[in-house]
Amino acid sequence: MTSSMLGAVSHRPSEILDTLKRLGFGLVVAVPDSWLGEILVRIDQEPGMTLVRATHEEEALAIACGSRLGGVRTALLVQNAGVLSMGAGLVSLAQRYQFPLLMLVSYRGTPEDPVFYHIPKGRATEPVFRGIGLSHACADRHRPIGVQVEQAATYAEEASCPFALLLSREDIQW
């Protein structure tokens, strides 16, 4: 069988970027992570999007909320450990004031990413998200990622709250 008969295998990070563009995201705020390196370069090269590289996660959250308050559709790209460290800001700012933020989160410390220093944060991620009431989902590798990003963005908008889509390496690493 030829590749055209099998259908093209999608490049998931490209699909994420294409979805963000199609949905009109004007700003992406990120705290760099090794998985995020190349997608951040690609976002920075997009004429219709602005990339802000923050120095830490609470700064990224504040920038994203301020941008959203100004009417710009905004996404956060951070690692799960970063979301854990911004818990107070999420609860007292983003959730309290109902900012509809799409959070694309690299999910480190899972069985697919068994680097010893990521494992504790991987174990804590979903229980902490549930504990602080952060709406979230794990990306399903068997479904197109663009659809999942769109569903997460729609949920954030409709529910007026942050929504975290937890992404594997194949989803986000260029």
Side-chain angles (χ1 to χ4, degrees):
M1 278 190 200
T2 65
S3 61
S4 62
M5 291 171 71
L6 293 171
V9 175
S10 77
H11 181 248
R12 291 173 77 84
S14 296
E15 215 180 312
I16 288 174
L17 180 56
D18 291 344
T19 301
L20 292 175
K21 290 188 306 189
R22 183 174 52 76
L23 295 177
F25 280 86
L27 181 71
V28 174
V29 185
V31 177
D33 169 51
S34 62
W35 286 5
L36 300 176
E38 185 61 25
I39 196 168
L40 297 182
V41 169
R42 302 292 176 117
I43 289 168
D44 202 26
Q45 294 170 349
E46 282 299 322
M49 298 176 89
T50 300
L51 173 67
V52 174
R53 287 182 173 95
T55 57
H56 58 85
E57 288 77 7
E58 283 204 331
E59 177 188 50
L61 180 65
I63 292 166
C65 288
S67 170
R68 188 60 209 221
L69 191 59
V72 178
R73 199 159 195 201
T74 305
L76 273 170
L77 263 70
V78 295
Q79 185 187 117
N80 55 330
V83 179
L84 298 175
S85 72
M86 73 166 89
L90 275 168
V91 171
S92 63
L93 176 63
Q95 290 174 322
R96 167 81 170 86
Y97 295 102
Q98 300 176 319
F99 285 98
L101 297 174
L102 172 62
M103 301 171 68
L104 300 175
V105 181
S106 57
Y107 199 177
R108 307 301 301 263
T110 65
E112 296 170 347
D113 178 38
V115 178
F116 74 94
Y117 53 87
H118 288 305
I119 292 171
K121 53 191 158 190
R123 275 195 307 256
T125 297
E126 291 183 74
V128 170
F129 284 15
R130 283 189 294 277
I132 64 172
L134 177 60
S135 299
H136 67 282
C138 290
D140 180 347
R141 70 172 9 129
H142 303 292
R143 294 179 50 224
I145 192 67
V147 171
Q148 295 176 75
V149 170
E150 184 169 0
Q151 289 171 335
T154 300
Y155 186 95
E157 291 294 325
E158 294 296 322
S160 294
C161 69
F163 188 93
L165 182 60
L166 292 160
L167 303 169
S168 69
R169 179 189 305 240
E170 75 181 61
D171 294 326
I172 199 73
Q173 189 174 42
W174 211 273

